[in-house]
Amino acid sequence: MAQITFKGTAVNTQGNLPAVGAQAPDFTLTAGDLSEKSLRDFQGKQVILNIFPSIDTGTCAASVRKFNEKAAGLANTVVLCISRDLPFAQGRFCAAEGIANVVTLSEYKDSNFSDAYQLRIADGPLAGLLSRSVVVVDENGTVKYTEQVAETTEEPNYEQALAAL
């Protein structure tokens, strides 16, 4: 179990992110068109998993905007923005913000994603949502970088994540 904070109060996640150097666990999530997407669908590309509790919070929205901006110039790289929000909410946000350089995926259905990556918040007011995290996976499916943001209300370290590419 990893410990993070939410507004300074300690909360736990169900476990720890995959180790750097490990094979990234595959998963199935729901895309905006309600199709299923897996990590295998992005095989051969570098993948940034931008994971957050809800698109409807300022910090989560800021991370999607920032990765959208950065993704525009990345060769052979896809940014997957993952939360438990409904695909419709994710789509509405991206349409309103003009976000087109990331792929939004939802774990609104029970899927294997949060179990595989061990990042579901286990207690506190955000219990059941996903912990703000970034995982970078190379073209071969190897984890190159992970960050589970220590304070949920803070943004991830974009520079370190991008440097791992």
Side-chain angles (χ1 to χ4, degrees):
M1 210 174 250
Q3 190 171 77
I4 57 173
T5 59
F6 175 63
K7 296 182 178 181
T9 301
V11 294
N12 297 293
T13 64
Q14 71 189 100
N16 296 302
L17 291 172
V20 171
Q23 198 65 21
D26 199 16
F27 54 78
T28 302
L29 292 165
T30 304
D33 63 1
L34 302 181
S35 66
E36 290 186 346
K37 294 288 183 190
S38 71
L39 186 58
R40 284 187 309 271
D41 291 324
F42 304 98
Q43 192 170 3
K45 292 186 177 202
Q46 298 181 110
V47 179
I48 299 172
L49 305 177
N50 175 34
I51 306 152
F52 49 88
S54 175
I55 198 79
D56 289 324
T57 69
T59 307
C60 300
S63 74
V64 173
R65 285 187 205 103
K66 186 67 148 185
F67 275 120
N68 180 66
E69 173 190 320
K70 298 290 187 185
L74 300 175
N76 197 40
T77 303
V78 62
V79 178
L80 306 180
C81 293
I82 302 168
S83 69
R84 297 202 83 184
D85 294 297
L86 290 173
F88 314 114
Q90 293 172 335
R92 234 183 349 267
F93 172 82
C94 289
E97 296 282 332
I99 292 174
N101 299 317
V102 300
V103 176
T104 57
L105 297 173
S106 174
E107 191 187 45
Y108 83 99
K109 297 178 186 177
D110 285 329
S111 83
N112 59 346
F113 177 74
S114 56
D115 290 336
Y117 285 78
Q118 294 290 296
L119 47 67
R120 188 178 314 115
I121 298 172
D123 51 28
L126 299 181
L129 297 178
L130 306 180
S131 166
R132 183 176 320 288
S133 305
V134 176
V135 178
V136 176
V137 180
D138 72 9
E139 301 92 334
N140 301 311
T142 302
V143 175
K144 301 305 281 183
Y145 171 83
T146 64
E147 176 189 12
Q148 188 164 47
V149 179
E151 168 54 54
T152 303
T153 62
E154 295 178 3
E155 293 181 56
N157 188 326
Y158 303 107
E159 291 74 29
Q160 283 187 357
L162 295 168
L165 297 171

